[in-house]
Amino acid sequence: MTGEAVAGVVLAGGGGSRLGGRVKALLEHEGRPLVELTSEALRAAGCAPVLVVLGAGADEVEERASLGACRIVRNQEWATGMGSSLRAGLAALGALAEPPAGALVALVDQPWVGVEAMARVRAAFRSPASLVSASYGGRRGHPVLLGADHFAGVADAARGDRGARDYLRARADQLTLVECGDVAAPDDIDQPADLRRLSGPPPHR
């Protein structure tokens, strides 16, 4: 496996419109904001640097969450959907003095996708041409590892809330799936009923 750097990117710009406007990054699980847990998991999985893309409530997130070890990226277009946050994160990676060879992209609203799943996907990196995704029972999910060769194409395809979905679907023959269903669950926090689950046991695996 190559030693080239793989960055971590947390997409944390969502405004929680279906959650009554509650900023997803600041929802708490195990007593801590989701944005802290996700960024720390990426670091523990071997990603550096870790970028956190903020949008809704960015000032409040920076004030309340401990993100001192992360690079903060503000997405002014967050209301247009997750695709804009992905574009902002990839653009910020490209502007680094030493751009990484790849990026592991995680969603802030999936609290049961932790360091074990992230480390598995990170370990599948081979080169800037790598294209890797976690899978759950054979179904593609997050996190997703994008080799740097794919940054421009993913950014061009990322629109609305679709993120990298269309790009990955069109390149299914290049995509490596890493099964993570035994160590993680891809359930997200999207509806008011989901909020109760944050204080309950992990979803059945």
Side-chain angles (χ1 to χ4, degrees), residues 84-183:
S84 63
S85 288
L86 181 55
R87 293 196 304 274
L90 293 176
L93 291 179
L96 294 175
E98 296 184 12
L104 187 62
V105 181
L107 306 182
V108 79
D109 64 350
Q110 292 187 333
W112 299 286
V113 175
V115 63
E116 291 175 291
M118 293 178 186
R120 280 190 188 178
V121 178
R122 165 65 180 86
F125 176 81
R126 294 294 178 269
S127 77
S130 292
L131 199 58
V132 186
S133 173
S135 66
Y136 300 88
R139 183 175 181 179
R140 189 181 72 240
H142 282 84
V144 172
L145 190 151
L146 306 171
D149 290 355
H150 299 282
F151 287 2
V154 169
D156 186 61
R159 294 292 180 268
D161 276 323
R162 300 187 69 79
R165 186 185 311 169
D166 292 341
Y167 187 90
L168 297 178
R169 181 180 293 119
R171 290 157 183 81
D173 59 334
Q174 303 174 40
L175 182 65
T176 298
L177 294 179
V178 177
E179 181 58 43
C180 294
D182 59 319
V183 296

Coordinates of all heavy atoms in Angstrom, one line a residue, residues 84-183:
S84 N -22.9 20.7 -3.1 CA -22.1 22.0 -2.9 C -21.0 21.8 -1.8 O -19.9 22.4 -2.0 CB -23.0 23.2 -2.7 OG -23.6 23.1 -1.5
S85 N -21.4 21.1 -0.8 CA -20.4 20.9 0.3 C -19.2 20.0 -0.2 O -18.1 20.2 0.2 CB -21.1 20.3 1.5 OG -21.9 21.3 2.2
L86 N -19.6 19.0 -1.0 CA -18.5 18.1 -1.5 C -17.6 18.9 -2.4 O -16.4 18.8 -2.4 CB -19.2 16.9 -2.2 CG -18.2 15.9 -2.9 CD1 -17.3 15.4 -1.9 CD2 -19.0 14.8 -3.5
R87 N -18.2 19.7 -3.3 CA -17.4 20.6 -4.2 C -16.5 21.5 -3.4 O -15.3 21.6 -3.7 CB -18.3 21.4 -5.1 CG -19.0 20.6 -6.1 CD -19.6 21.4 -7.3 NE -20.4 22.6 -6.8 CZ -21.7 22.5 -6.5 NH1 -22.3 21.3 -6.7 NH2 -22.4 23.6 -6.2
A88 N -17.0 22.1 -2.3 CA -16.2 23.0 -1.5 C -15.1 22.3 -0.8 O -13.9 22.8 -0.8 CB -17.1 23.7 -0.5
G89 N -15.3 21.1 -0.3 CA -14.3 20.3 0.3 C -13.2 19.9 -0.6 O -12.0 20.0 -0.3
L90 N -13.5 19.4 -1.8 CA -12.6 19.0 -2.8 C -11.7 20.2 -3.3 O -10.5 20.1 -3.5 CB -13.2 18.3 -4.0 CG -13.9 17.0 -3.6 CD1 -14.6 16.4 -4.9 CD2 -12.9 16.0 -3.1
A91 N -12.4 21.4 -3.5 CA -11.7 22.6 -3.9 C -10.7 23.0 -2.8 O -9.5 23.4 -3.2 CB -12.7 23.7 -4.2
A92 N -11.0 22.9 -1.6 CA -10.1 23.2 -0.5 C -8.9 22.3 -0.5 O -7.8 22.7 -0.2 CB -10.8 23.2 0.8
L93 N -9.1 21.0 -0.7 CA -8.0 20.1 -0.8 C -7.1 20.4 -1.9 O -5.8 20.4 -1.7 CB -8.5 18.6 -1.0 CG -9.3 18.0 0.2 CD1 -9.8 16.6 -0.2 CD2 -8.5 17.9 1.4
G94 N -7.6 20.8 -3.0 CA -6.8 21.1 -4.2 C -5.9 22.4 -4.0 O -4.9 22.6 -4.6
A95 N -6.4 23.2 -3.0 CA -5.7 24.5 -2.7 C -4.6 24.4 -1.7 O -3.9 25.3 -1.4 CB -6.7 25.6 -2.3
L96 N -4.5 23.2 -1.1 CA -3.5 23.0 0.0 C -2.1 23.0 -0.6 O -1.9 22.7 -1.8 CB -3.7 21.6 0.6 CG -5.0 21.4 1.5 CD1 -5.1 20.0 2.0 CD2 -5.0 22.4 2.6
A97 N -1.1 23.5 0.2 CA 0.3 23.5 -0.3 C 0.7 22.1 -0.7 O 1.5 22.0 -1.7 CB 1.2 24.1 0.8
E98 N 0.3 21.1 -0.1 CA 0.6 19.7 -0.4 C -0.7 19.0 -0.6 O -1.2 18.3 0.4 CB 1.5 19.1 0.6 CG 2.9 19.7 0.7 CD 3.8 19.0 1.7 OE1 3.4 17.8 2.1 OE2 4.8 19.5 2.1
P99 N -1.3 19.0 -1.7 CA -2.6 18.3 -1.9 C -2.5 16.8 -1.7 O -1.5 16.2 -2.0 CB -3.0 18.6 -3.4 CG -2.2 19.9 -3.7 CD -0.9 19.8 -2.9
P100 N -3.5 16.2 -1.1 CA -3.4 14.8 -0.7 C -3.6 13.9 -2.0 O -4.1 14.4 -3.0 CB -4.6 14.6 0.2 CG -5.6 15.6 -0.2 CD -4.7 16.8 -0.6
A101 N -3.2 12.7 -1.9 CA -3.4 11.7 -3.0 C -4.8 11.2 -3.0 O -5.2 10.5 -4.0 CB -2.4 10.6 -2.9
G102 N -5.6 11.4 -2.0 CA -7.0 10.9 -1.9 C -7.7 11.6 -0.8 O -7.1 12.3 0.0
A103 N -9.0 11.3 -0.7 CA -9.8 11.9 0.3 C -10.9 10.8 0.7 O -11.5 10.2 -0.1 CB -10.5 13.2 -0.1
L104 N -11.0 10.7 2.0 CA -12.1 9.8 2.6 C -13.2 10.7 3.0 O -13.0 11.5 3.9 CB -11.5 9.0 3.8 CG -12.5 7.9 4.3 CD1 -12.8 6.9 3.3 CD2 -11.8 7.3 5.6
V105 N -14.3 10.6 2.4 CA -15.5 11.5 2.6 C -16.5 10.8 3.5 O -17.0 9.7 3.2 CB -16.1 11.9 1.3 CG1 -17.3 12.8 1.5 CG2 -15.1 12.5 0.4
A106 N -16.9 11.5 4.6 CA -17.9 10.9 5.5 C -19.0 11.9 5.7 O -18.8 13.2 5.6 CB -17.2 10.6 6.9
L107 N -20.2 11.4 6.1 CA -21.3 12.3 6.3 C -21.5 12.5 7.8 O -21.4 11.5 8.6 CB -22.6 11.7 5.8 CG -22.5 11.3 4.3 CD1 -23.9 10.7 3.8 CD2 -22.1 12.5 3.4
V108 N -21.8 13.7 8.3 CA -21.9 14.0 9.7 C -23.1 13.4 10.3 O -23.2 13.2 11.5 CB -21.9 15.5 9.9 CG1 -23.3 16.1 9.6 CG2 -21.4 15.9 11.3
D109 N -24.1 13.0 9.5 CA -25.4 12.5 10.1 C -25.5 11.0 10.1 O -26.6 10.4 10.2 CB -26.6 13.1 9.4 CG -26.7 12.7 7.9 OD1 -25.8 12.1 7.4 OD2 -27.8 13.0 7.3
Q110 N -24.3 10.3 10.1 CA -24.3 8.8 10.2 C -23.5 8.4 11.4 O -22.3 8.0 11.3 CB -23.8 8.2 8.9 CG -24.7 8.4 7.7 CD -24.2 7.6 6.5 OE1 -23.0 7.4 6.3 NE2 -25.1 7.3 5.6
P111 N -24.0 8.6 12.6 CA -23.3 8.4 13.8 C -22.8 6.9 14.1 O -21.9 6.7 14.9 CB -24.2 8.8 14.9 CG -25.6 8.6 14.3 CD -25.4 9.0 12.9
W112 N -23.4 6.0 13.4 CA -23.0 4.6 13.6 C -22.0 4.1 12.5 O -21.7 2.9 12.4 CB -24.2 3.7 13.7 CG -25.1 4.1 14.8 CD1 -24.9 3.9 16.1 CD2 -26.3 4.8 14.7 NE1 -25.9 4.4 16.9 CE2 -26.8 5.0 16.0 CE3 -27.0 5.4 13.7 CZ2 -27.9 5.7 16.3 CZ3 -28.2 6.1 13.9 CH2 -28.6 6.2 15.3
V113 N -21.4 5.0 11.7 CA -20.3 4.7 10.9 C -19.1 5.3 11.5 O -18.9 6.6 11.5 CB -20.5 5.3 9.5 CG1 -19.3 5.1 8.6 CG2 -21.7 4.7 8.8
G114 N -18.3 4.5 12.2 CA -17.2 5.0 13.0 C -15.9 4.6 12.4 O -15.7 4.3 11.3
V115 N -14.9 4.6 13.4 CA -13.5 4.5 12.9 C -13.2 3.1 12.3 O -12.4 3.0 11.4 CB -12.5 4.7 14.2 CG1 -12.8 3.7 15.2 CG2 -11.1 4.7 13.7
E116 N -13.9 2.0 12.7 CA -13.6 0.7 12.1 C -14.0 0.7 10.6 O -13.2 0.2 9.8 CB -14.4 -0.4 12.9 CG -13.9 -0.6 14.3 CD -14.8 -1.6 15.0 OE1 -16.0 -1.2 15.3 OE2 -14.4 -2.7 15.3
A117 N -15.1 1.2 10.3 CA -15.5 1.2 8.9 C -14.6 2.2 8.1 O -14.1 1.9 7.0 CB -16.9 1.7 8.7
M118 N -14.3 3.3 8.7 CA -13.4 4.3 8.0 C -12.0 3.7 7.8 O -11.4 3.9 6.7 CB -13.4 5.6 8.8 CG -14.7 6.3 8.9 SD -14.5 7.8 9.9 CE -16.3 8.4 10.0
A119 N -11.5 3.0 8.8 CA -10.2 2.5 8.6 C -10.1 1.4 7.5 O -9.2 1.3 6.8 CB -9.7 1.9 9.9
R120 N -11.2 0.6 7.4 CA -11.2 -0.4 6.4 C -11.2 0.2 5.0 O -10.5 -0.3 4.1 CB -12.5 -1.3 6.5 CG -12.5 -2.3 7.6 CD -13.7 -3.2 7.5 NE -13.7 -4.1 8.6 CZ -14.7 -5.0 8.8 NH1 -15.7 -5.1 7.9 NH2 -14.7 -5.8 9.8
V121 N -12.0 1.2 4.8 CA -12.0 1.9 3.5 C -10.7 2.6 3.2 O -10.2 2.5 2.1 CB -13.2 2.8 3.4 CG1 -13.3 3.5 2.0 CG2 -14.6 2.1 3.6
R122 N -10.2 3.3 4.2 CA -8.9 3.9 4.1 C -7.8 3.0 3.7 O -6.9 3.3 2.8 CB -8.5 4.6 5.4 CG -7.1 5.1 5.5 CD -6.7 6.2 4.5 NE -5.4 6.6 4.7 CZ -4.3 6.1 4.1 NH1 -4.5 5.0 3.3 NH2 -3.1 6.6 4.2
A123 N -7.8 1.8 4.2 CA -6.8 0.8 3.9 C -6.8 0.3 2.5 O -5.9 -0.3 2.0 CB -6.9 -0.4 4.9
A124 N -8.0 0.5 1.8 CA -8.1 0.1 0.4 C -7.5 1.0 -0.6 O -7.4 0.8 -1.8 CB -9.5 -0.2 0.1
F125 N -6.9 2.2 -0.1 CA -6.3 3.1 -1.0 C -5.0 2.5 -1.6 O -4.2 1.9 -0.9 CB -5.9 4.4 -0.2 CG -5.2 5.4 -1.0 CD1 -5.8 6.2 -1.9 CD2 -3.8 5.5 -0.9 CE1 -5.1 7.2 -2.7 CE2 -3.1 6.4 -1.7 CZ -3.8 7.2 -2.6
R126 N -4.9 2.7 -2.9 CA -3.7 2.2 -3.5 C -2.9 3.3 -4.3 O -1.7 3.2 -4.4 CB -4.0 1.1 -4.5 CG -4.6 -0.2 -3.8 CD -3.5 -0.9 -3.0 NE -4.0 -2.0 -2.3 CZ -4.6 -2.1 -1.1 NH1 -4.7 -0.9 -0.4 NH2 -5.0 -3.2 -0.5
S127 N -3.7 4.2 -4.9 CA -3.0 5.3 -5.7 C -4.0 6.4 -5.9 O -5.2 6.2 -5.6 CB -2.6 4.7 -7.0 OG -3.7 4.5 -7.9
P128 N -3.6 7.5 -6.5 CA -4.6 8.6 -6.8 C -5.7 8.1 -7.8 O -6.7 8.8 -7.9 CB -3.7 9.6 -7.5 CG -2.4 9.4 -6.9 CD -2.2 7.9 -6.8
A129 N -5.6 7.0 -8.4 CA -6.7 6.4 -9.2 C -7.7 5.6 -8.5 O -8.7 5.2 -9.0 CB -6.1 5.6 -10.3
S130 N -7.5 5.4 -7.2 CA -8.4 4.6 -6.3 C -9.8 5.2 -6.3 O -10.0 6.4 -6.2 CB -7.8 4.4 -4.9 OG -6.6 3.7 -4.9
L131 N -10.7 4.3 -6.2 CA -12.1 4.7 -6.1 C -12.8 3.6 -5.2 O -12.9 2.4 -5.7 CB -12.8 4.7 -7.4 CG -14.1 5.5 -7.5 CD1 -14.0 7.0 -7.1 CD2 -14.7 5.5 -9.0
V132 N -13.1 3.9 -4.0 CA -13.5 2.9 -3.0 C -14.7 3.3 -2.2 O -14.9 4.5 -2.0 CB -12.3 2.6 -2.0 CG1 -12.7 1.5 -1.1 CG2 -11.0 2.4 -2.7
S133 N -15.6 2.4 -1.9 CA -16.7 2.7 -1.1 C -17.0 1.6 -0.1 O -16.8 0.5 -0.3 CB -18.0 2.9 -2.0 OG -19.2 3.0 -1.3
A134 N -17.5 2.1 1.1 CA -18.0 1.1 2.1 C -19.3 0.5 1.5 O -20.0 1.1 0.7 CB -18.3 1.8 3.4
S135 N -19.5 -0.8 1.9 CA -20.8 -1.4 1.4 C -21.4 -2.0 2.7 O -20.7 -2.4 3.6 CB -20.6 -2.4 0.3 OG -19.8 -3.5 0.7
Y136 N -22.7 -2.2 2.6 CA -23.5 -2.8 3.7 C -24.4 -3.8 3.1 O -25.4 -3.5 2.4 CB -24.3 -1.7 4.4 CG -23.3 -0.6 5.0 CD1 -22.9 0.5 4.2 CD2 -22.8 -0.8 6.3 CE1 -22.1 1.4 4.7 CE2 -21.9 0.2 6.8 CZ -21.5 1.2 6.0 OH -20.6 2.2 6.5
G137 N -24.1 -5.1 3.3 CA -24.8 -6.1 2.6 C -24.7 -6.0 1.1 O -25.6 -6.4 0.4
G138 N -23.6 -5.6 0.6 CA -23.4 -5.4 -0.8 C -23.9 -4.2 -1.4 O -23.7 -3.9 -2.6
R139 N -24.5 -3.3 -0.6 CA -25.1 -2.0 -1.1 C -24.1 -0.9 -0.8 O -23.7 -0.7 0.4 CB -26.4 -1.8 -0.5 CG -27.1 -0.6 -1.0 CD -28.5 -0.5 -0.4 NE -29.2 0.7 -0.9 CZ -30.4 1.0 -0.6 NH1 -31.1 0.3 0.2 NH2 -31.0 2.1 -1.1
R140 N -23.8 -0.1 -1.8 CA -22.8 1.0 -1.6 C -23.3 2.0 -0.6 O -24.5 2.4 -0.6 CB -22.6 1.6 -3.0 CG -21.5 2.7 -3.0 CD -21.3 3.3 -4.3 NE -22.4 4.2 -4.6 CZ -23.2 4.1 -5.6 NH1 -23.2 3.1 -6.5 NH2 -24.2 5.0 -5.8
G141 N -22.4 2.5 0.2 CA -22.7 3.5 1.2 C -21.5 4.4 1.5 O -20.6 4.5 0.7
H142 N -21.5 4.9 2.7 CA -20.4 5.8 3.1 C -19.6 5.1 4.2 O -20.1 4.3 4.9 CB -20.9 7.2 3.6 CG -21.3 8.1 2.5 ND1 -22.5 8.0 1.8 CD2 -20.6 9.1 1.8 CE1 -22.5 8.9 0.9 NE2 -21.4 9.6 0.9
P143 N -18.3 5.5 4.4 CA -17.6 6.6 3.7 C -17.2 6.1 2.3 O -17.2 4.9 2.0 CB -16.4 6.8 4.6 CG -16.1 5.5 5.2 CD -17.5 4.9 5.5
V144 N -16.8 7.1 1.5 CA -16.3 6.9 0.2 C -14.9 7.5 0.1 O -14.6 8.6 0.5 CB -17.2 7.6 -0.9 CG1 -16.6 7.6 -2.3 CG2 -18.6 7.0 -0.9
L145 N -14.0 6.7 -0.6 CA -12.6 7.2 -0.8 C -12.4 7.5 -2.2 O -12.6 6.7 -3.1 CB -11.6 6.1 -0.3 CG -10.2 6.5 -0.3 CD1 -9.4 5.7 0.8 CD2 -9.4 6.4 -1.6
L146 N -12.0 8.8 -2.4 CA -11.8 9.3 -3.8 C -10.3 9.5 -4.0 O -9.7 10.4 -3.3 CB -12.6 10.6 -4.0 CG -14.1 10.6 -3.7 CD1 -14.6 12.0 -3.7 CD2 -14.8 9.7 -4.7
G147 N -9.7 8.8 -4.9 CA -8.3 9.2 -5.3 C -8.3 10.5 -6.0 O -9.3 10.9 -6.6
A148 N -7.2 11.2 -5.9 CA -7.1 12.6 -6.4 C -7.4 12.7 -7.9 O -7.9 13.7 -8.4 CB -5.8 13.2 -6.1
D149 N -7.2 11.6 -8.6 CA -7.5 11.6 -10.0 C -9.0 11.9 -10.3 O -9.4 12.3 -11.4 CB -7.1 10.3 -10.7 CG -5.6 10.1 -10.8 OD1 -4.8 11.1 -10.4 OD2 -5.1 9.0 -11.2
H150 N -9.8 11.6 -9.3 CA -11.3 11.7 -9.5 C -11.8 13.0 -8.9 O -13.0 13.3 -9.1 CB -11.9 10.5 -8.8 CG -11.5 9.2 -9.3 ND1 -12.0 8.7 -10.5 CD2 -10.7 8.3 -8.8 CE1 -11.5 7.5 -10.7 NE2 -10.7 7.2 -9.7
F151 N -11.0 13.8 -8.3 CA -11.6 15.0 -7.6 C -12.3 15.9 -8.6 O -13.5 16.3 -8.3 CB -10.5 15.9 -7.0 CG -9.9 15.3 -5.7 CD1 -10.3 14.0 -5.2 CD2 -8.9 15.9 -5.0 CE1 -9.8 13.5 -4.0 CE2 -8.4 15.4 -3.9 CZ -8.8 14.2 -3.4
A152 N -11.7 16.2 -9.8 CA -12.4 17.1 -10.7 C -13.7 16.6 -11.3 O -14.7 17.3 -11.4 CB -11.4 17.5 -11.8
G153 N -13.6 15.3 -11.6 CA -14.8 14.7 -12.1 C -16.0 14.6 -11.1 O -17.1 14.8 -11.5
V154 N -15.6 14.3 -9.9 CA -16.7 14.2 -8.8 C -17.2 15.6 -8.6 O -18.5 15.8 -8.5 CB -16.1 13.6 -7.5 CG1 -17.0 13.8 -6.4 CG2 -15.8 12.2 -7.7
A155 N -16.4 16.6 -8.5 CA -16.8 18.0 -8.3 C -17.8 18.4 -9.4 O -18.8 19.1 -9.2 CB -15.7 18.9 -8.2
D156 N -17.5 18.0 -10.6 CA -18.3 18.4 -11.8 C -19.7 17.8 -11.7 O -20.7 18.3 -12.1 CB -17.6 18.1 -13.1 CG -18.3 18.6 -14.3 OD1 -18.5 19.8 -14.4 OD2 -18.7 17.8 -15.1
A157 N -19.7 16.5 -11.2 CA -21.0 15.8 -11.2 C -21.8 16.0 -9.9 O -23.0 15.6 -9.9 CB -20.6 14.3 -11.3
A158 N -21.2 16.6 -8.9 CA -21.9 16.8 -7.6 C -22.9 17.9 -7.7 O -22.5 19.1 -7.7 CB -20.9 17.0 -6.5
R159 N -24.1 17.6 -7.7 CA -25.2 18.6 -7.8 C -26.3 18.2 -6.8 O -26.6 17.0 -6.6 CB -25.8 18.7 -9.2 CG -24.7 19.3 -10.2 CD -24.4 20.7 -10.0 NE -23.4 21.3 -10.9 CZ -22.1 21.3 -10.7 NH1 -21.6 20.8 -9.6 NH2 -21.3 21.8 -11.6
G160 N -27.0 19.2 -6.3 CA -28.1 19.0 -5.4 C -27.6 18.1 -4.2 O -26.6 18.4 -3.6
D161 N -28.4 17.1 -3.9 CA -28.1 16.3 -2.7 C -27.4 14.9 -3.2 O -27.3 14.0 -2.4 CB -29.3 15.9 -1.9 CG -29.6 17.0 -0.9 OD1 -28.6 17.6 -0.3 OD2 -30.8 17.3 -0.7
R162 N -27.0 14.9 -4.4 CA -26.5 13.6 -5.0 C -25.1 13.3 -4.7 O -24.6 12.2 -4.8 CB -26.8 13.5 -6.5 CG -28.3 13.7 -6.8 CD -28.6 13.4 -8.3 NE -28.4 12.0 -8.7 CZ -29.2 11.1 -8.4 NH1 -30.3 11.3 -7.8 NH2 -29.0 9.9 -8.8
G163 N -24.3 14.4 -4.4 CA -22.9 14.1 -4.0 C -22.2 13.4 -5.1 O -22.3 13.8 -6.3
A164 N -21.5 12.3 -4.8 CA -20.7 11.5 -5.8 C -21.5 10.4 -6.4 O -20.9 9.6 -7.1 CB -19.4 11.0 -5.1
R165 N -22.8 10.3 -6.1 CA -23.5 9.1 -6.4 C -23.5 8.8 -7.9 O -23.2 7.7 -8.3 CB -25.0 9.3 -6.0 CG -25.9 8.0 -6.2 CD -27.3 8.4 -5.8 NE -27.4 9.0 -4.5 CZ -28.5 9.6 -4.0 NH1 -29.6 9.6 -4.8 NH2 -28.5 10.2 -2.8
D166 N -23.8 9.8 -8.7 CA -23.8 9.6 -10.2 C -22.5 9.2 -10.7 O -22.3 8.3 -11.6 CB -24.4 10.8 -10.9 CG -25.8 11.1 -10.6 OD1 -26.5 10.1 -10.1 OD2 -26.3 12.2 -10.8
Y167 N -21.4 9.9 -10.2 CA -20.1 9.6 -10.7 C -19.7 8.1 -10.4 O -19.1 7.4 -11.2 CB -19.1 10.6 -10.0 CG -17.7 10.5 -10.5 CD1 -17.3 11.3 -11.6 CD2 -16.8 9.6 -9.9 CE1 -16.0 11.2 -12.0 CE2 -15.4 9.5 -10.4 CZ -15.1 10.3 -11.4 OH -13.8 10.3 -11.9
L168 N -20.0 7.7 -9.2 CA -19.7 6.3 -8.8 C -20.5 5.3 -9.6 O -19.9 4.3 -10.0 CB -19.9 6.1 -7.3 CG -19.1 7.0 -6.3 CD1 -19.5 6.7 -4.9 CD2 -17.6 6.7 -6.5
R169 N -21.7 5.6 -9.8 CA -22.6 4.7 -10.6 C -22.0 4.5 -12.0 O -22.0 3.4 -12.5 CB -24.0 5.2 -10.6 CG -24.9 4.2 -11.4 CD -26.4 4.7 -11.4 NE -27.0 4.7 -10.1 CZ -27.4 5.8 -9.4 NH1 -27.3 7.0 -10.0 NH2 -28.0 5.7 -8.2
A170 N -21.6 5.6 -12.6 CA -21.1 5.5 -13.9 C -19.7 4.8 -14.0 O -19.3 4.4 -15.1 CB -20.9 6.9 -14.5
R171 N -19.1 4.6 -12.9 CA -17.7 3.9 -12.9 C -17.8 2.7 -12.0 O -16.8 2.4 -11.3 CB -16.7 4.9 -12.4 CG -16.4 6.0 -13.5 CD -15.8 7.3 -12.9 NE -15.7 8.3 -13.9 CZ -16.7 9.0 -14.4 NH1 -17.9 8.9 -13.8 NH2 -16.5 9.9 -15.3
A172 N -18.9 2.0 -12.0 CA -19.0 0.8 -11.2 C -17.9 -0.2 -11.4 O -17.5 -0.9 -10.5 CB -20.4 0.2 -11.4
D173 N -17.4 -0.3 -12.6 CA -16.4 -1.2 -12.9 C -15.0 -0.9 -12.3 O -14.1 -1.7 -12.2 CB -16.2 -1.4 -14.4 CG -15.9 -0.1 -15.2 OD1 -16.2 1.0 -14.6 OD2 -15.3 -0.2 -16.2
Q174 N -14.9 0.4 -11.9 CA -13.6 0.8 -11.3 C -13.7 0.9 -9.8 O -12.7 1.1 -9.1 CB -13.3 2.2 -11.8 CG -13.1 2.4 -13.3 CD -12.9 3.8 -13.7 OE1 -12.2 4.6 -13.0 NE2 -13.6 4.3 -14.7
L175 N -14.9 0.7 -9.2 CA -15.2 0.9 -7.8 C -14.9 -0.3 -7.0 O -15.4 -1.4 -7.3 CB -16.6 1.3 -7.6 CG -17.1 1.7 -6.2 CD1 -16.4 2.9 -5.7 CD2 -18.6 1.9 -6.2
T176 N -14.1 -0.2 -5.9 CA -13.9 -1.3 -5.0 C -14.8 -1.1 -3.8 O -14.9 -0.1 -3.2 CB -12.4 -1.2 -4.5 OG1 -11.5 -1.4 -5.6 CG2 -12.2 -2.3 -3.4
L177 N -15.6 -2.2 -3.6 CA -16.5 -2.2 -2.4 C -15.9 -2.9 -1.2 O -15.3 -4.0 -1.4 CB -17.8 -2.9 -2.8 CG -18.7 -2.2 -3.8 CD1 -19.9 -3.0 -4.1 CD2 -19.1 -0.8 -3.4
V178 N -15.9 -2.3 -0.1 CA -15.4 -2.8 1.2 C -16.5 -3.1 2.1 O -17.2 -2.1 2.6 CB -14.3 -1.9 1.8 CG1 -13.8 -2.5 3.1 CG2 -13.2 -1.6 0.8
E179 N -16.8 -4.3 2.4 CA -18.0 -4.6 3.3 C -17.7 -4.2 4.7 O -16.7 -4.5 5.3 CB -18.3 -6.1 3.3 CG -19.4 -6.6 4.1 CD -20.7 -5.9 3.7 OE1 -21.0 -5.7 2.5 OE2 -21.5 -5.4 4.6
C180 N -18.7 -3.4 5.2 CA -18.5 -2.9 6.6 C -19.7 -3.1 7.5 O -19.8 -2.6 8.6 CB -18.3 -1.3 6.5 SG -16.8 -0.8 5.7
G181 N -20.7 -4.0 7.0 CA -21.9 -4.2 7.7 C -21.7 -4.9 9.0 O -22.6 -4.8 9.9
D182 N -20.6 -5.5 9.2 CA -20.3 -6.2 10.5 C -19.8 -5.3 11.6 O -19.8 -5.6 12.8 CB -19.3 -7.4 10.3 CG -18.0 -6.9 9.8 OD1 -18.0 -6.0 8.9 OD2 -17.0 -7.4 10.2
V183 N -19.4 -4.0 11.2 CA -18.8 -3.1 12.2 C -19.5 -1.8 12.2 O -19.2 -0.9 13.0 CB -17.3 -2.9 11.9 CG1 -16.5 -4.2 12.1 CG2 -17.0 -2.3 10.5

